[in-house]
mmCIF file of all heavy atoms in Angstrom:
data_model
loop_
_atom_site.group_PDB
_atom_site.id
_atom_site.type_symbol
_atom_site.label_atom_id
_atom_site.label_comp_id
_atom_site.label_asym_id
_atom_site.label_seq_id
_atom_site.Cartn_x
_atom_site.Cartn_y
_atom_site.Cartn_z
ATOM 1 N N GLU A 1304 0.831 -1.212 0.000
ATOM 2 C CA GLU A 1304 0.000 0.000 0.000
ATOM 3 C C GLU A 1304 0.862 1.257 0.000
ATOM 4 O O GLU A 1304 0.609 2.208 -0.748
ATOM 5 C CB GLU A 1304 -0.926 0.003 1.214
ATOM 6 C CG GLU A 1304 -1.825 1.228 1.280
ATOM 7 C CD GLU A 1304 -2.731 1.266 2.490
ATOM 8 O OE1 GLU A 1304 -2.721 0.300 3.290
ATOM 9 O OE2 GLU A 1304 -3.463 2.270 2.650
ATOM 10 N N LEU A 1305 1.896 1.274 0.833
ATOM 11 C CA LEU A 1305 2.765 2.453 0.922
ATOM 12 C C LEU A 1305 3.555 2.662 -0.366
ATOM 13 O O LEU A 1305 3.814 3.801 -0.768
ATOM 14 C CB LEU A 1305 3.726 2.304 2.104
ATOM 15 C CG LEU A 1305 3.091 2.297 3.498
ATOM 16 C CD1 LEU A 1305 4.146 2.137 4.572
ATOM 17 C CD2 LEU A 1305 2.291 3.572 3.732
ATOM 18 N N ALA A 1306 3.946 1.574 -1.018
ATOM 19 C CA ALA A 1306 4.716 1.701 -2.251
ATOM 20 C C ALA A 1306 3.902 2.339 -3.370
ATOM 21 O O ALA A 1306 4.464 2.935 -4.295
ATOM 22 C CB ALA A 1306 5.229 0.321 -2.699
ATOM 23 N N ARG A 1307 2.580 2.238 -3.279
ATOM 24 C CA ARG A 1307 1.717 2.816 -4.319
ATOM 25 C C ARG A 1307 1.417 4.291 -4.071
ATOM 26 O O ARG A 1307 0.857 4.964 -4.939
ATOM 27 C CB ARG A 1307 0.410 2.032 -4.407
ATOM 28 C CG ARG A 1307 0.577 0.615 -4.932
ATOM 29 C CD ARG A 1307 -0.769 0.002 -5.286
ATOM 30 N NE ARG A 1307 -1.636 -0.100 -4.120
ATOM 31 C CZ ARG A 1307 -1.704 -1.167 -3.336
ATOM 32 N NH1 ARG A 1307 -0.923 -2.209 -3.577
ATOM 33 N NH2 ARG A 1307 -2.527 -1.198 -2.292
ATOM 34 N N LEU A 1308 1.777 4.793 -2.894
ATOM 35 C CA LEU A 1308 1.518 6.197 -2.596
ATOM 36 C C LEU A 1308 2.526 7.096 -3.320
ATOM 37 O O LEU A 1308 3.725 6.820 -3.314
ATOM 38 C CB LEU A 1308 1.608 6.457 -1.091
ATOM 39 C CG LEU A 1308 0.519 5.837 -0.216
ATOM 40 C CD1 LEU A 1308 0.788 6.176 1.257
ATOM 41 C CD2 LEU A 1308 -0.859 6.337 -0.616
ATOM 42 N N ASP A 1309 2.034 8.165 -3.909
ATOM 43 C CA ASP A 1309 2.898 9.130 -4.578
ATOM 44 C C ASP A 1309 2.732 10.490 -3.920
ATOM 45 O O ASP A 1309 1.657 11.090 -3.975
ATOM 46 C CB ASP A 1309 2.557 9.240 -6.071
ATOM 47 C CG ASP A 1309 2.919 7.967 -6.825
ATOM 48 O OD1 ASP A 1309 3.988 7.413 -6.542
ATOM 49 O OD2 ASP A 1309 2.117 7.535 -7.684
ATOM 50 N N ALA A 1310 3.800 10.966 -3.284
ATOM 51 C CA ALA A 1310 3.755 12.287 -2.653
ATOM 52 C C ALA A 1310 3.661 13.369 -3.721
ATOM 53 O O ALA A 1310 4.273 13.268 -4.783
ATOM 54 C CB ALA A 1310 4.997 12.492 -1.798
ATOM 55 N N GLU A 1311 2.875 14.403 -3.436
ATOM 56 C CA GLU A 1311 2.699 15.486 -4.410
ATOM 57 C C GLU A 1311 3.896 16.436 -4.430
ATOM 58 O O GLU A 1311 4.340 16.864 -5.481
ATOM 59 C CB GLU A 1311 1.421 16.267 -4.092
ATOM 60 C CG GLU A 1311 0.146 15.447 -4.264
ATOM 61 C CD GLU A 1311 -1.095 16.258 -3.985
ATOM 62 O OE1 GLU A 1311 -0.954 17.476 -3.701
ATOM 63 O OE2 GLU A 1311 -2.203 15.700 -4.055
ATOM 64 N N ARG A 1312 4.442 16.758 -3.273
ATOM 65 C CA ARG A 1312 5.542 17.715 -3.195
ATOM 66 C C ARG A 1312 6.870 17.050 -3.558
ATOM 67 O O ARG A 1312 7.137 15.910 -3.165
ATOM 68 C CB ARG A 1312 5.653 18.293 -1.784
ATOM 69 C CG ARG A 1312 4.460 19.137 -1.344
ATOM 70 C CD ARG A 1312 4.663 19.554 0.101
ATOM 71 N NE ARG A 1312 3.561 20.374 0.599
ATOM 72 C CZ ARG A 1312 3.531 21.693 0.538
ATOM 73 N NH1 ARG A 1312 4.567 22.347 0.008
ATOM 74 N NH2 ARG A 1312 2.506 22.372 1.012
ATOM 75 N N ILE A 1313 7.697 17.764 -4.266
ATOM 76 C CA ILE A 1313 9.014 17.256 -4.618
ATOM 77 C C ILE A 1313 9.845 17.039 -3.359
ATOM 78 O O ILE A 1313 10.595 16.061 -3.247
ATOM 79 C CB ILE A 1313 9.734 18.225 -5.590
ATOM 80 C CG1 ILE A 1313 9.036 18.207 -6.949
ATOM 81 C CG2 ILE A 1313 11.204 17.852 -5.739
ATOM 82 C CD1 ILE A 1313 9.653 19.147 -7.963
ATOM 83 N N CYS A 1314 9.711 17.954 -2.371
ATOM 84 C CA CYS A 1314 10.490 17.819 -1.134
ATOM 85 C C CYS A 1314 10.158 16.516 -0.414
ATOM 86 O O CYS A 1314 11.047 15.855 0.137
ATOM 87 C CB CYS A 1314 10.261 19.026 -0.227
ATOM 88 S SG CYS A 1314 8.521 19.290 0.237
ATOM 89 N N CYS A 1315 8.884 16.122 -0.431
ATOM 90 C CA CYS A 1315 8.471 14.878 0.215
ATOM 91 C C CYS A 1315 8.980 13.662 -0.537
ATOM 92 O O CYS A 1315 9.389 12.661 0.066
ATOM 93 C CB CYS A 1315 6.950 14.814 0.335
ATOM 94 S SG CYS A 1315 6.239 16.094 1.383
ATOM 95 N N ARG A 1316 8.988 13.756 -1.846
ATOM 96 C CA ARG A 1316 9.481 12.634 -2.656
ATOM 97 C C ARG A 1316 10.969 12.436 -2.450
ATOM 98 O O ARG A 1316 11.466 11.310 -2.384
ATOM 99 C CB ARG A 1316 9.147 12.882 -4.129
ATOM 100 C CG ARG A 1316 7.639 12.961 -4.376
ATOM 101 C CD ARG A 1316 7.318 13.472 -5.753
ATOM 102 N NE ARG A 1316 7.603 12.492 -6.770
ATOM 103 C CZ ARG A 1316 7.571 12.742 -8.082
ATOM 104 N NH1 ARG A 1316 7.296 13.966 -8.504
ATOM 105 N NH2 ARG A 1316 7.823 11.791 -8.952
ATOM 106 N N LYS A 1317 11.695 13.549 -2.312
ATOM 107 C CA LYS A 1317 13.136 13.448 -2.036
ATOM 108 C C LYS A 1317 13.378 12.851 -0.649
ATOM 109 O O LYS A 1317 14.285 12.029 -0.463
ATOM 110 C CB LYS A 1317 13.798 14.818 -2.147
ATOM 111 C CG LYS A 1317 13.986 15.311 -3.572
ATOM 112 C CD LYS A 1317 14.780 16.607 -3.596
ATOM 113 C CE LYS A 1317 15.028 17.060 -5.037
ATOM 114 N NZ LYS A 1317 15.833 18.303 -5.102
ATOM 115 N N ALA A 1318 12.573 13.260 0.322
ATOM 116 C CA ALA A 1318 12.727 12.729 1.674
ATOM 117 C C ALA A 1318 12.474 11.219 1.689
ATOM 118 O O ALA A 1318 13.216 10.456 2.325
ATOM 119 C CB ALA A 1318 11.766 13.437 2.624
ATOM 120 N N GLU A 1319 11.433 10.781 0.991
ATOM 121 C CA GLU A 1319 11.130 9.348 0.953
ATOM 122 C C GLU A 1319 12.234 8.580 0.253
ATOM 123 O O GLU A 1319 12.659 7.515 0.711
ATOM 124 C CB GLU A 1319 9.786 9.117 0.254
ATOM 125 C CG GLU A 1319 9.330 7.669 0.293
ATOM 126 C CD GLU A 1319 7.912 7.485 -0.212
ATOM 127 O OE1 GLU A 1319 7.275 8.485 -0.621
ATOM 128 O OE2 GLU A 1319 7.430 6.333 -0.201
ATOM 129 N N LEU A 1320 12.723 9.109 -0.871
ATOM 130 C CA LEU A 1320 13.814 8.447 -1.588
ATOM 131 C C LEU A 1320 15.062 8.374 -0.724
ATOM 132 O O LEU A 1320 15.765 7.350 -0.719
ATOM 133 C CB LEU A 1320 14.115 9.204 -2.892
ATOM 134 C CG LEU A 1320 15.291 8.663 -3.722
ATOM 135 C CD1 LEU A 1320 15.031 7.225 -4.163
ATOM 136 C CD2 LEU A 1320 15.563 9.564 -4.921
ATOM 137 N N ALA A 1321 15.337 9.443 0.030
ATOM 138 C CA ALA A 1321 16.513 9.449 0.898
ATOM 139 C C ALA A 1321 16.450 8.298 1.897
ATOM 140 O O ALA A 1321 17.438 7.571 2.093
ATOM 141 C CB ALA A 1321 16.618 10.781 1.625
ATOM 142 N N ALA A 1322 15.286 8.106 2.529
ATOM 143 C CA ALA A 1322 15.146 7.013 3.499
ATOM 144 C C ALA A 1322 15.284 5.656 2.823
ATOM 145 O O ALA A 1322 15.920 4.739 3.356
ATOM 146 C CB ALA A 1322 13.798 7.119 4.204
ATOM 147 N N LEU A 1323 14.700 5.516 1.651
ATOM 148 C CA LEU A 1323 14.774 4.253 0.920
ATOM 149 C C LEU A 1323 16.220 3.879 0.585
ATOM 150 O O LEU A 1323 16.606 2.710 0.649
ATOM 151 C CB LEU A 1323 13.953 4.339 -0.367
ATOM 152 C CG LEU A 1323 12.427 4.308 -0.181
ATOM 153 C CD1 LEU A 1323 11.722 4.827 -1.430
ATOM 154 C CD2 LEU A 1323 11.966 2.889 0.131
ATOM 155 N N LEU A 1324 17.023 4.892 0.244
ATOM 156 C CA LEU A 1324 18.400 4.620 -0.158
ATOM 157 C C LEU A 1324 19.354 4.540 1.025
ATOM 158 O O LEU A 1324 20.250 3.689 1.049
ATOM 159 C CB LEU A 1324 18.885 5.694 -1.135
ATOM 160 C CG LEU A 1324 18.169 5.735 -2.494
ATOM 161 C CD1 LEU A 1324 18.748 6.839 -3.369
ATOM 162 C CD2 LEU A 1324 18.281 4.385 -3.208
ATOM 163 N N VAL A 1325 19.185 5.418 2.014
ATOM 164 C CA VAL A 1325 20.112 5.458 3.145
ATOM 165 C C VAL A 1325 20.179 4.114 3.871
ATOM 166 O O VAL A 1325 21.245 3.693 4.331
ATOM 167 C CB VAL A 1325 19.703 6.583 4.129
ATOM 168 C CG1 VAL A 1325 20.326 6.372 5.507
ATOM 169 C CG2 VAL A 1325 20.134 7.930 3.579
ATOM 170 N N LEU A 1326 19.058 3.412 3.952
ATOM 171 C CA LEU A 1326 19.006 2.177 4.734
ATOM 172 C C LEU A 1326 19.314 0.924 3.922
ATOM 173 O O LEU A 1326 19.438 -0.159 4.492
ATOM 174 C CB LEU A 1326 17.621 2.033 5.379
ATOM 175 C CG LEU A 1326 17.195 3.174 6.299
ATOM 176 C CD1 LEU A 1326 15.819 2.907 6.875
ATOM 177 C CD2 LEU A 1326 18.200 3.372 7.416
ATOM 178 N N ASN A 1327 19.437 1.044 2.614
ATOM 179 C CA ASN A 1327 19.580 -0.174 1.798
ATOM 180 C C ASN A 1327 20.611 -0.081 0.685
ATOM 181 O O ASN A 1327 20.696 -0.990 -0.134
ATOM 182 C CB ASN A 1327 18.225 -0.499 1.136
ATOM 183 C CG ASN A 1327 17.212 -1.027 2.125
ATOM 184 O OD1 ASN A 1327 17.258 -2.184 2.513
ATOM 185 N ND2 ASN A 1327 16.320 -0.167 2.558
ATOM 186 N N THR A 1328 21.374 0.986 0.635
ATOM 187 C CA THR A 1328 22.229 1.220 -0.523
ATOM 188 C C THR A 1328 23.700 1.005 -0.214
ATOM 189 O O THR A 1328 24.166 1.264 0.895
ATOM 190 C CB THR A 1328 22.029 2.656 -1.046
ATOM 191 O OG1 THR A 1328 20.667 2.818 -1.420
ATOM 192 C CG2 THR A 1328 22.889 2.927 -2.264
ATOM 193 N N SER A 1329 24.409 0.539 -1.214
ATOM 194 C CA SER A 1329 25.865 0.476 -1.166
ATOM 195 C C SER A 1329 26.398 1.075 -2.456
ATOM 196 O O SER A 1329 25.719 1.091 -3.482
ATOM 197 C CB SER A 1329 26.352 -0.969 -1.004
ATOM 198 O OG SER A 1329 25.830 -1.790 -2.034
ATOM 199 N N LEU A 1330 27.601 1.611 -2.390
ATOM 200 C CA LEU A 1330 28.275 2.137 -3.575
ATOM 201 C C LEU A 1330 29.384 1.166 -3.938
ATOM 202 O O LEU A 1330 30.309 0.930 -3.155
ATOM 203 C CB LEU A 1330 28.847 3.537 -3.300
ATOM 204 C CG LEU A 1330 27.824 4.620 -2.923
ATOM 205 C CD1 LEU A 1330 28.528 5.952 -2.701
ATOM 206 C CD2 LEU A 1330 26.753 4.762 -3.999
ATOM 207 N N LEU A 1331 29.272 0.575 -5.110
ATOM 208 C CA LEU A 1331 30.215 -0.458 -5.539
ATOM 209 C C LEU A 1331 30.967 -0.005 -6.780
ATOM 210 O O LEU A 1331 30.367 0.542 -7.717
ATOM 211 C CB LEU A 1331 29.479 -1.768 -5.831
ATOM 212 C CG LEU A 1331 28.649 -2.364 -4.670
ATOM 213 C CD1 LEU A 1331 27.925 -3.609 -5.147
ATOM 214 C CD2 LEU A 1331 29.538 -2.675 -3.479
ATOM 215 N N GLU A 1332 32.250 -0.284 -6.774
ATOM 216 C CA GLU A 1332 33.068 0.054 -7.947
ATOM 217 C C GLU A 1332 33.257 -1.197 -8.791
ATOM 218 O O GLU A 1332 33.723 -2.237 -8.303
ATOM 219 C CB GLU A 1332 34.418 0.615 -7.510
ATOM 220 C CG GLU A 1332 35.221 1.185 -8.670
ATOM 221 C CD GLU A 1332 36.454 1.932 -8.217
ATOM 222 O OE1 GLU A 1332 36.532 2.283 -7.026
ATOM 223 O OE2 GLU A 1332 37.338 2.172 -9.065
ATOM 224 N N GLU A 1333 32.858 -1.113 -10.039
ATOM 225 C CA GLU A 1333 32.978 -2.235 -10.971
ATOM 226 C C GLU A 1333 33.610 -1.744 -12.268
ATOM 227 O O GLU A 1333 33.086 -0.819 -12.905
ATOM 228 C CB GLU A 1333 31.593 -2.836 -11.263
ATOM 229 C CG GLU A 1333 30.901 -3.403 -10.031
ATOM 230 C CD GLU A 1333 29.507 -3.930 -10.346
ATOM 231 O OE1 GLU A 1333 29.074 -3.787 -11.524
ATOM 232 O OE2 GLU A 1333 28.851 -4.476 -9.443
#
């Protein structure tokens, strides 16, 4: 349900993306 929600404000979308990436992302050199 939450994945289908689309925030209207750009600031909110950036905040959500930040949380999604901060907790699950790695930077890999290939």
Side-chain angles (χ1 to χ4, degrees):
E1304 180 181 357
L1305 294 180
R1307 292 193 298 268
L1308 292 179
D1309 292 319
E1311 295 182 2
R1312 295 176 180 269
I1313 291 179
C1314 58
C1315 296
R1316 298 169 73 189
K1317 285 186 177 182
E1319 186 171 1
L1320 177 61
L1323 287 162
L1324 294 180
V1325 161
L1326 302 180
N1327 288 282
T1328 300
S1329 56
L1330 299 181
L1331 302 177
E1332 189 171 343
E1333 298 177 357

